[in-house]
Amino acid sequence: MNPHWNGQFSCFNLVAKTDEKVRTVVQVGDLCIGGDQFVVMAGPCAVESEQQLITTAEAIAAAGARILRGGAFKPRSSPYSFQGLGLVGLKLLDKARRATGLAIVTEVMSPEDVGLIAEYADIMQVGTRSMQNYALLEALGKCGRPVLLKRGMTSTLEEVLESAQVIAMNGNSEIILCERGIRTFETATRNTLDIAAVPVLKAVSHLPVIVDPSHAAGLRSLVPVLARAAVVVDADGLLVEVHPCPDKALSDGVQSLTFTDFQEMMDDLRPYIAMRSCARGVRPHLLSRVEVT
Ligand code: PEP
Ligand code: MN
């Protein structure tokens, strides 16, 4: 690991692992993210309609997911793409929560929207394009909800921790980090999943770390195997895109799993999740032994 890293940890004192603060467990209802549970968050890229959202929520809950994802305010690369349903989308997320008992994670893009979205969301998502929007991070420090902080697509892990520190400095240490793939020269996948980010972040920080294999791969066929990799490197959970009819999705259909794909992925992960718990019990230090020199 980069030897300069350690000297810089004093800048991240609120998010860096210390002898006193080994792990943060983010509690959402009866869920503990960053504890022993492996928590799967799933759902459509964007909330499109009541039927799309409720059927997806029911399908992912039946397969074992605990948190419903869905964007109501969408940061799209093209200004001509679907921008989300806004408040109507938030109300549909609330309806889905009441129908299924799933918690809700949804994206917030601007500081002005923090108050409104915090009324509906259990977890506030910061997207890759907003990771260094410091006005947003400051507002999220005071929002009273846990924050899911996605890695900027061209950000170093040091920059991820800097952004987490901004949220923590402003009063909120309920932060979940998310590796969602970074831009590299490779074009076969939408982004390159930096799987090493998981053990590195868990070695240097006390915050939970989850993986988003959907935005990393950009292709649905690669999502299950990358999800497996996330379990094996001891991530605390997943964020996965699922759609009732991916070919008709208004955003990110190519990387979205069908209900059947999702159920199969969850079945496939089960032995790996069991092994992860075993490895923690038998050799608790095996997966966290990353030297920071
Ligand atoms: C999303 O989760 O749908 C999303 C826009 O993700 P990212 O910010 O990682 O591109
Ligand atoms: Mn998406």
Side-chain angles (χ1 to χ4, degrees):
M1 196 179 300
N2 183 344
H4 298 300
W5 258 64
N6 225 12
Q8 293 164 353
F9 286 162
S10 54
C11 319
F12 316 132
N13 65 316
L14 299 175
V15 298
K17 194 151 134 185
T18 60
D19 289 343
E20 295 79 55
K21 183 92 179 160
V22 178
R23 291 254 66 84
T24 283
V25 177
V26 173
Q27 189 111 23
V28 179
D30 65 340
L31 290 175
C32 293
I33 303 158
D36 287 338
Q37 287 170 307
F38 185 81
V39 178
V40 179
M41 316 179 185
C45 179
V47 177
E48 297 169 6
S49 70
E50 178 164 345
Q51 212 220 349
Q52 172 240 23
L53 192 66
I54 303 285
T55 55
T56 306
E58 285 168 348
I60 63 145
R66 303 297 307 277
I67 299 181
L68 175 65
R69 61 145 293 146
F73 293 81
K74 292 300 302 173
R76 303 306 303 282
S77 298
S78 162
Y80 304 107
S81 301
F82 176 58
Q83 305 292 314
L85 295 179
L87 179 58
V88 171
L90 294 178
K91 290 189 170 160
L92 291 177
L93 286 164
D94 184 45
K95 204 165 187 175
R97 169 173 41 211
R98 280 185 279 113
T100 58
L102 293 168
I104 300 297
V105 56
T106 194
E107 179 157 357
V108 55
M109 293 193 295
S110 95
E112 294 76 41
D113 294 335
V114 166
L116 175 71
I117 295 175
E119 283 176 36
Y120 292 88
D122 297 292
I123 304 175
M124 311 283 280
Q125 177 174 323
V126 177
T128 193
R129 296 161 186 81
S130 305
M131 193 204 82
Q132 289 179 312
N133 178 343
Y134 295 108
L136 175 63
L137 302 180
E138 283 170 22
L140 287 166
K142 304 174 185 86
C143 75
R145 297 272 182 224
V147 175
L148 171 51
L149 180 65
K150 286 192 154 199
R151 180 180 186 176
M153 64 180 87
T154 58
S155 296
T156 63
L157 297 179
E158 184 185 339
E159 287 163 341
V160 175
L161 294 174
E162 268 164 1
S163 291
Q165 174 84 6
V166 173
I167 301 170
M169 275 171 63
N170 282 278
N172 189 355
S173 52
E174 304 279 285
I175 304 163
I176 303 157
L177 305 176
C178 179
E179 164 59 36
R180 50 77 72 199
I182 48 174
R183 282 247 166 117
T184 68
F185 51 82
E186 182 53 68
T187 56
T189 48
R190 181 175 176 182
N191 291 286
T192 297
L193 180 64
D194 179 7
I195 201 71
V198 179
V200 170
L201 288 170
K202 291 191 76 166
V204 299
S205 166
H206 55 74
L207 298 174
V209 183
I210 67 163
V211 169
D212 172 350
S214 306
H215 290 85
L219 286 173
R220 91 176 54 95
S221 60
L222 287 176
V223 169
V225 74
L226 297 186
R228 262 193 207 173
V231 176
V232 170
V233 294
D234 205 25
D236 294 295
L238 292 171
L239 183 71
V240 181
E241 288 187 337
V242 177
H243 194 282
C245 186
D247 292 344
K248 298 218 167 79
L250 297 181
S251 67
D252 286 349
V254 178
Q255 67 196 33
S256 297
L257 301 182
T258 63
F259 296 167
T260 310
D261 293 335
F262 183 69
Q263 176 72 64
E264 284 174 7
M265 182 192 83
M266 294 295 276
D267 291 344
D268 173 73
L269 292 181
R270 207 162 293 126
Y272 295 90
I273 293 171
M275 221 152 59
R276 167 185 177 273
S277 310
C278 242
R280 282 182 162 194
V282 176
R283 295 189 197 155
H285 303 301
L286 182 66
L287 293 169
S288 58
R289 202 196 295 134
V290 176
E291 300 293 331
V292 183
T293 52

